[in-house]
Amino acid sequence: MQAKLSALLLAGTILAAAPAKAQEITVWDWKSGDPAAASYYEKVKGDFEAAHPGVTVNYVMQPLDQYYTLLGTALSSHAGPDLFLMNGGAQAKARIPALLRLDDKVADLRKTVIGWPEFTGADGGVYAVPLSIQGFVVYYDKKLYRDAGLDPDKPPRTWADLARVCAAIKAKGAVPCFSMGNKEGYGAEFWFSTMAANEWTAGEQQDFAAGRLKWSSPQVKAILQSWVDAGKAGWFQDGPNSTTKFMDEYEGFMRGEDANTIGLISDVAHWKQFDDFLGADDGVFRMPSPTLAADKTEGDPMMPVAGGIGYGVNKASVHADLAVELAKALAAPAAMQVFFTDTGAIASNTGVDTSKVDSPAAKAILAWLKTKGVPTAHANATAKELEEWHRQSQLLLNGEATVDAAAARLDAVQADARK
């Protein structure tokens, strides 16, 4: 009996000492190689691996300009990463068939994390964990305003104000009014949503998201026309269709080559990055629009805000449960605090402390987020519509398409995409 008991104890000791089965969780993104975000990703990896012995987190950063193509190829073959990063809205919703529905797995996060609508499918299910809140504002170089005889402390509040500012900067002749990168069509995306923020009523935003508001409707064509008009007025630098938004447009702005740029609030091309280059000359305002919706106020523009980026779990992953846990770890308060502090990203986790920020631009943005946010219209289009808008926006700037022709083509794509 004593011998049998000893054998059992020995077997138990061996089992306890055996290493956990090695598992690797592969994460795809376009950010983990960014030096500014390095401490955030390292913290999550370190904490997660310590809490899950035998598990290794493997970040694989992909090039942004090829990201969705590479991801689509991998997912279509039922392979790819266990966990992957996506932009909220159209890009996330286009990949829902490959994503694991997370509702019951993230119930504990729903009250402390915001930005879920941009990762919610037509079935009402949640398919990714939001990491950041995204929005568009206009950053401006106060020095260039002073050089043009403008008051740098009185940025434009109306479209008439903005027209006067651009006229003064153009008359000075030193720099363009706006830096614009539209090589990938992203400049047109940002323009579209900033215009819609003030030109559309809340009901029209909902109708566009549902596919009921056509591109050929007067409300949408007005935005296409404003894009053409700004180009014809000489507001942009030469060659916007051959300028990348990330980062040619923003690098030019930071070098003082352009007076204004439509930038982000998270986590690149934003207040923290521009503060580093422009210092106290980094100004920010909310973009006005040529016309105003009935439920908006002249001189008090709104800004487009939505869930920014988020992590979804590959439905084909053999490590899906671990991948869910890692997605939640990436959005946890302590990790998100590092993400905000180091990168300046506005975190989706409401537990992040922003009270120690001393940047005037950041303080303004954080205040606007409380009352000035409206939907980010382009994110509520389908991925196919966005792709076509990219193409039509370039044709419009080149004078190779009319607004009517572009809207008609986009109507056709919209109808096909929403069958």
Side-chain angles (χ1 to χ4, degrees):
M1 181 65 184
Q2 183 63 39
K4 186 175 181 180
L5 180 60
S6 297
L8 288 172
L9 289 173
L10 177 60
T13 301
I14 292 172
L15 287 172
K21 185 179 178 182
Q23 298 177 85
E24 181 175 287
I25 304 298
T26 301
V27 183
W28 277 21
D29 58 62
W30 61 88
K31 290 191 175 296
S32 57
D34 180 356
S39 54
Y40 160 69
Y41 281 102
E42 288 171 4
K43 175 175 177 55
V44 175
K45 176 181 171 67
D47 290 352
F48 192 80
E49 289 177 352
H52 299 80
V55 174
T56 300
V57 175
N58 178 29
Y59 298 124
V60 180
M61 192 178 90
Q62 304 285 6
L64 177 59
D65 59 345
Q66 302 172 44
Y67 183 75
Y68 288 109
T69 300
L70 295 170
L71 183 62
T73 301
L75 295 178
S76 64
S77 61
H78 304 290
D82 300 290
L83 189 67
F84 52 90
L85 189 64
M86 297 166 291
N87 293 99
Q91 297 292 2
K93 292 175 182 179
R95 284 151 188 91
I96 282 178
L99 288 165
L100 186 69
R101 183 166 173 161
L102 301 177
D103 297 52
D104 58 331
K105 300 173 177 60
V106 298
D108 54 330
L109 298 182
R110 296 300 293 272
K111 290 184 178 179
T112 55
V113 173
I114 57 178
W116 298 100
E118 283 67 38
F119 301 98
T120 299
D123 60 357
V126 171
Y127 288 89
V129 178
L131 200 66
S132 66
I133 298 302
Q134 191 56 278
F136 303 145
V137 291
V138 181
Y139 295 95
Y140 69 102
D141 187 331
K142 292 184 178 181
K143 175 185 179 301
L144 297 180
Y145 271 48
R146 286 194 295 273
D147 290 348
L150 299 164
D151 185 342
D153 296 321
K154 292 183 178 178
R157 297 175 65 91
T158 67
W159 191 254
D161 289 344
L162 182 58
R164 283 193 291 271
V165 162
C166 285
I169 290 169
K170 187 176 178 181
K172 177 70 176 177
V175 298
C177 190
F178 275 86
S179 180
M180 178 56 67
N182 199 47
K183 185 174 182 179
E184 309 90 343
Y186 294 154
E189 281 189 6
F190 287 27
W191 185 272
F192 190 84
S193 286
T194 54
M195 293 297 108
N198 292 290
E199 294 198 15
W200 293 0
T201 64
E204 288 164 346
Q205 291 274 11
Q206 292 173 0
D207 285 345
F208 185 74
R212 294 189 293 267
L213 186 65
K214 293 184 177 181
W215 288 79
S216 60
S217 67
Q219 301 94 321
V220 185
K221 281 172 61 177
I223 295 177
L224 274 55
Q225 187 63 55
S226 70
W227 172 252
V228 173
D229 292 344
K232 287 183 176 178
W235 284 15
F236 309 143
Q237 87 288 353
D238 291 338
N241 285 341
S242 58
T243 303
T244 64
K245 194 164 191 65
F246 301 98
M247 290 288 298
D248 289 349
E249 172 182 331
Y250 297 118
E251 287 173 349
F253 176 70
M254 289 185 284
R255 289 193 297 264
E257 297 173 355
D258 314 274
N260 301 281
T261 188
I262 302 175
L264 306 175
I265 64 173
S266 167
D267 55 314
V268 66
H270 66 333
W271 61 271
K272 186 175 180 65
Q273 193 168 22
F274 298 151
D275 279 359
D276 290 344
F277 282 84
L278 302 181
D281 285 332
D282 180 24
V284 62
F285 64 89
R286 287 165 279 142
M287 184 77 161
S289 59
T291 60
L292 205 62
D295 59 357
K296 302 300 185 299
T297 303
E298 181 77 349
D300 189 21
M302 307 299 282
M303 66 177 187
V305 176
I309 53 176
Y311 280 99
V313 176
N314 188 346
K315 194 161 58 178
S317 169
V318 297
H319 305 302
D321 289 343
L322 274 173
V324 171
E325 291 302 314
L326 181 56
K328 296 170 71 170
L330 284 155
M336 287 277 86
Q337 188 71 55
V338 175
F339 192 50
F340 171 72
T341 301
D342 288 8
T343 73
I346 307 297
S348 60
N349 195 308
T350 57
V352 170
D353 180 9
T354 61
S355 63
K356 295 181 176 58
V357 170
D358 58 5
S359 161
K363 287 181 178 178
I365 291 167
L366 289 168
W368 295 336
L369 281 173
K370 297 176 182 176
T371 58
K372 304 300 179 186
V374 295
T376 302
H378 84 267
N380 287 326
T382 62
K384 290 182 179 178
E385 288 169 82
L386 276 188
E387 184 179 348
E388 187 60 29
W389 172 229
H390 295 168
R391 184 163 35 248
Q392 294 299 328
S393 71
Q394 294 175 339
L395 295 175
L396 287 169
L397 278 187
N398 288 342
E400 297 172 359
T402 65
V403 167
D404 284 340
R409 176 59 190 151
L410 285 157
D411 272 356
V413 174
Q414 182 186 45
D416 180 65
R418 295 180 184 270
K419 283 181 180 176

